[in-house]
């Protein structure tokens, strides 16, 4: 009998919950993936400029005790303050590693650079992180679009914000047999975004009437000093009910990163901070790591597409928030 992959709600994956908070005027926000009972997690960082917190604990050589939350946010390195609020919320709700003297929630985080859109002075903070975490625990609302960490996401920034387009956060999940795999991704790429070989967002010409190929524009750069400013990064996570150890989850994160290469061009430059987490949570089932990694790349590609299609807005509204267009 042929086994068919089917689309499922990301919220149907047991052991994980999602919450958002954002400042709609400042155009920045936070998305929290909570694992109340913990989740073994791996990570792959494939670019040169990640803004991150506690990611070394996810290396395969570190103790494999699991984590309690992944925080995705705007604000560049300023946004790392949001994790303080997530830790406070988790502690108040009895979630964390029991050290014998205190609960210590294990929280990792990655940020996008969104300071060129909306406001450069409004950044995710402890209060916003707390709100997003509480929303995860109480509401569990994985919603694609310009929400949470995707509020200030943009793409196609090779020639500045005037020729870029809006992006956001996207979710997608699939099931094969008993194995469930979901993806969440905040697409804030310097490059163009493609779905099944067709460009769906990215660099536009100066009159915003047609697309320009970002890779061709890149090839015109003659010297390192001409590199675009470091205002990018695509950050995402895979969650699964597959029973995997940290080293295997690191492999799955690496395979899921193949979706970045399939859908974003150029990608993985020193001007990016591209990151993929992979977490195993809930009631777990046995699965082949290679098959899981292959499916992870597929759902991540779908989530990238969803991040674009759910965040589209007209040019007048979009440009009103681009700081170099005012």
């Amino acid at each position: 009998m042929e086994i068919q992959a089917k689309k499922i709600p990301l919220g149907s994956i047991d052991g994980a919950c999602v919450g958002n908070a954002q400042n709609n005027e400042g155009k920045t926000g936070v998305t929290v993936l909570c694992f109340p009972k913990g989740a073994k997690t791996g990570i792959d960082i494939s670019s040169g400029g990640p803004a991150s917190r506690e990611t070394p604990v996810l290396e395969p050589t570190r103790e494999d005790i699991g984590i309690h939350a992944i925080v995705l946010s705007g604000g560049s390195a300023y946004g790392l303050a949001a994790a303080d609020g997530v830790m406070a919320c988790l502690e108040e709700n009895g979630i964390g590693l029991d050290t014998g003297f205190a609960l210590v929630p294990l929280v990792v985080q990655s940020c996008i650079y969104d300071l060129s859109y909306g406001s450069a002075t409004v950044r995710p903070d402890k209060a916003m992180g707390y709100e997003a975490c509480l929303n995860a625990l109480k509401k569990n609302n994985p919603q694609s679009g310009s929400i949470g960490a995707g509020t200030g996401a943009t793409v196609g920034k090779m020639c500045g914000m005037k020729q870029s387009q809006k992006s956001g956060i996207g979710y997608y999940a699939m099931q094969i047999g008993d194995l469930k795999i979901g993806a969440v991704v905040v697409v804030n790429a310097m490059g163009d975004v493609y779905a099944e070989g067709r460009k769906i967002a990215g660099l536009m010409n100066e009159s915003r009437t047609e697309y320009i190929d970002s890779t061709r524009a890149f090839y015109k750069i003659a010297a390192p000093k001409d590199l675009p400013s470091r205002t990018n990064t695509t950050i995402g996570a895979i969650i699964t009910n597959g029973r995997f150890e940290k080293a295997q989850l690191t492999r799955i994160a690496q395979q899921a990163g193949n979706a970045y290469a399939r859908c974003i061009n150029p990608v993985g430059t020193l001007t990016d901070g591209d990151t993929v987490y992979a977490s195993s949570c809930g009631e777990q089932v046995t699965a082949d790591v290679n098959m899981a990694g292959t499916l992870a790349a597929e759902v991540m590609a779908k989530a990238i597409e969803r991040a674009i299609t759910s965040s589209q807005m007209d040019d007048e509204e979009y440009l009103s928030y681009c700081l170099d267009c005012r």
Side-chain angles (χ1 to χ4, degrees), residues 307-325:
I308 298 298
T309 58
S310 62
S311 305
Q312 295 173 340
M313 63 175 60
D314 64 67
D315 280 356
E316 183 178 359
E317 180 183 3
Y318 175 68
L319 294 174
S320 71
Y321 290 104
C322 295
L323 297 188
D324 64 357
C325 301

Side-chain angles (χ1 to χ4, degrees), residues 58-278:
L58 303 181
E59 294 175 2
T61 56
R62 310 301 181 192
E63 188 176 5
D64 197 2
I65 57 178
I67 62 169
H68 302 100
I70 296 171
V71 183
L72 308 176
S73 84
S76 189
Y78 290 107
L80 293 171
D84 291 338
V86 175
M87 288 191 69
C89 182
L90 291 174
E91 182 184 27
E92 287 180 14
N93 284 274
I95 298 169
L97 175 66
D98 188 353
T99 66
F101 299 94
L103 281 178
V104 180
L106 301 179
V107 177
V108 296
Q109 181 175 356
S110 292
C111 307
I112 66 167
Y113 185 102
D114 56 5
L115 303 181
S116 57
Y117 186 71
S119 172
T121 60
V122 177
R123 299 105 179 219
D125 56 12
K126 181 176 180 179
M128 191 180 290
Y130 185 99
E131 180 184 356
C133 185
L134 191 61
N135 285 336
L137 296 174
K138 304 299 184 184
K139 299 179 181 179
N140 191 17
N141 183 26
Q143 180 181 346
S144 297
S146 290
I147 187 172
T151 303
T154 55
V155 295
K157 292 170 281 189
M158 179 71 66
C159 298
M161 296 297 291
K162 292 181 180 180
Q163 293 175 239
S164 64
Q165 286 189 303
K166 189 71 182 73
S167 181
I169 190 169
Y171 299 85
Y172 203 87
M174 297 180 73
Q175 180 173 353
I176 295 180
D178 293 327
L179 178 68
K180 299 178 180 180
I181 294 185
V184 53
V185 63
V186 184
V187 184
N188 191 60
M190 177 185 67
D192 303 324
V193 182
Y194 295 82
E196 298 180 353
R198 178 178 62 89
K199 184 171 175 176
I200 59 174
L203 179 63
M204 304 193 75
N205 63 9
E206 292 184 5
S207 59
R208 300 184 66 84
T209 56
E210 61 183 8
Y211 285 126
I212 297 175
D213 188 283
S214 284
T215 301
R216 291 182 181 275
F218 215 171
Y219 292 160
K220 295 179 181 179
I221 294 175
K225 65 180 177 61
D226 294 325
L227 280 173
S229 59
R230 288 156 175 77
T231 61
N232 316 292
T233 287
T234 297
I235 51 178
I238 295 294
I239 58 174
T240 179
N241 68 338
R243 186 179 297 108
F244 300 112
E245 301 301 318
K246 188 191 292 188
Q248 294 175 305
L249 290 162
T250 300
R251 246 336 271 174
I252 290 171
Q254 290 172 342
Q255 280 193 259
N258 290 334
Y260 288 11
R262 295 172 190 171
C263 300
I264 304 170
N265 193 30
V267 71
T269 72
L270 290 177
T271 74
D272 298 295
D274 299 340
T275 301
V276 183
Y277 298 88

